[in-house]
Amino acid sequence: MAETALYLGLMSGTSADGIDAVLARFPDSGGCTLIGRLSRAYPDALRQSILSASVRARALDLQTYAQIDARVGQAFAQLAADLVEHSEVPWADVAAVGSHGQTLFHDPLGNSLQVGDPNRIAIACGRPVVADFRRADMAAGGQGAPLVPAFHRAMFGRTDEDLCIVNLGGIANLSHLPSCDGPVRGFDTGPANGLLDEWMQTRRGCAFDADGALARSGTVHRPLLDALLAAPYFQQPPPKSTGRDHFNLEWCRARFPALDTLPDEDVARTLLELTVQSVADSLAPLADGGTRVLLCGGGADNGYLVERLREQLAQRTVGTTADGGIDPKWVEAAAFAWLAKRRMEGLPGNLPSATGAHRAVVLGAIYQP
């Protein structure tokens, strides 16, 4: 592919708060240049359908699945078309679209389901679409997640220092990028924004806790935090991955039945602290205390979450991926643009050291218009 080719990345995370889209160029000299970016919330009815389906995925009826698949595909296609129009570039300059889709179900033992019919995106955009990124890694014995460590290595890896990239989406994941030739390690640490978002939606009727304001006003409820941190996932060694179908409010209630009797602000504060503690505990054994940490994802905009992470990781320098050249909001969408480029070039996209696969494989299927 020509060095001037553009790739369009589409991403929606486990919080299902909306879709991010970027137009990116990846020069042969390295790095990523974002030509255009656009984000859009899902319509309320579609978001509610996604959230409901992701919690009850094991009992989802096929008609509901097919309807959500089509509607998400249409939403992705419309955002891609609007981004190209706003960016004032011809579709002919876009080599391919990389669509992560919307995860409804993720079982690290061998199954992962993303919706957002790529055929609808390909037909609407008139360009090849790469989708279904996770299952090739699973077929090779991996967990299909996390897939972003390969992109993190390509964009942020350095020879002069260790770095840890922490993505704070609905689920938090990290990538440890050693300065030497050692393997990149990456895994999901547990919930990031997902639980707090769900609590805010249920109790306050809003999508998220803006800047952590409600959490900041509360107090950590230690019995609740201890009950949640005692979950086996947090002690499980990597490789490991998880999703909203595991970490949701029903999971919280199962571990702490009195959840709904607590003050809203105390639960919010405790759920935020769960993210802080699980991320910090995951980082502790990875590298020495001087390793720099770069944050990305929606949680990087939560001022109180970032403040608490900096306090908990006081021995480390904590910044954002903007320090490495990519705005933290757009890292994951850019990653799937890059993975589309890898697929179109026939190159592997996974890192077995992160997913647990027995070999590197080419990720994704190509859907032609």
Side-chain angles (χ1 to χ4, degrees), residues 144-203:
L147 296 182
V148 291
F151 176 73
H152 291 162
R153 180 179 66 179
M155 297 299 117
F156 306 114
R158 300 179 55 152
T159 59
D160 59 342
E161 70 169 332
D162 281 10
L163 286 175
C164 281
I165 313 297
V166 178
N167 175 58
L168 298 168
I171 297 295
N173 58 68
L174 65 81
S175 302
H176 174 228
L177 312 177
S179 59
C180 58
D181 292 331
V184 172
R185 288 173 287 181
F187 55 92
D188 291 346
T189 66
N193 306 312
L195 286 177
L196 181 53
D197 289 352
E198 189 178 354
W199 183 251
M200 294 298 294
Q201 180 183 0
T202 300
R203 305 291 286 205

Side-chain angles (χ1 to χ4, degrees), residues 14-17 46-56 68 102 104 198 201 244:
T14 50
S15 288
D17 49 359
L46 179 53
R47 182 170 191 259
Q48 290 305 317
S49 296
I50 292 167
L51 294 177
S52 175
S54 64
V55 172
R56 58 184 179 87
I68 295 173
Q102 177 66 60
L104 290 190
E198 189 178 354
Q201 180 183 0
R244 188 184 183 89

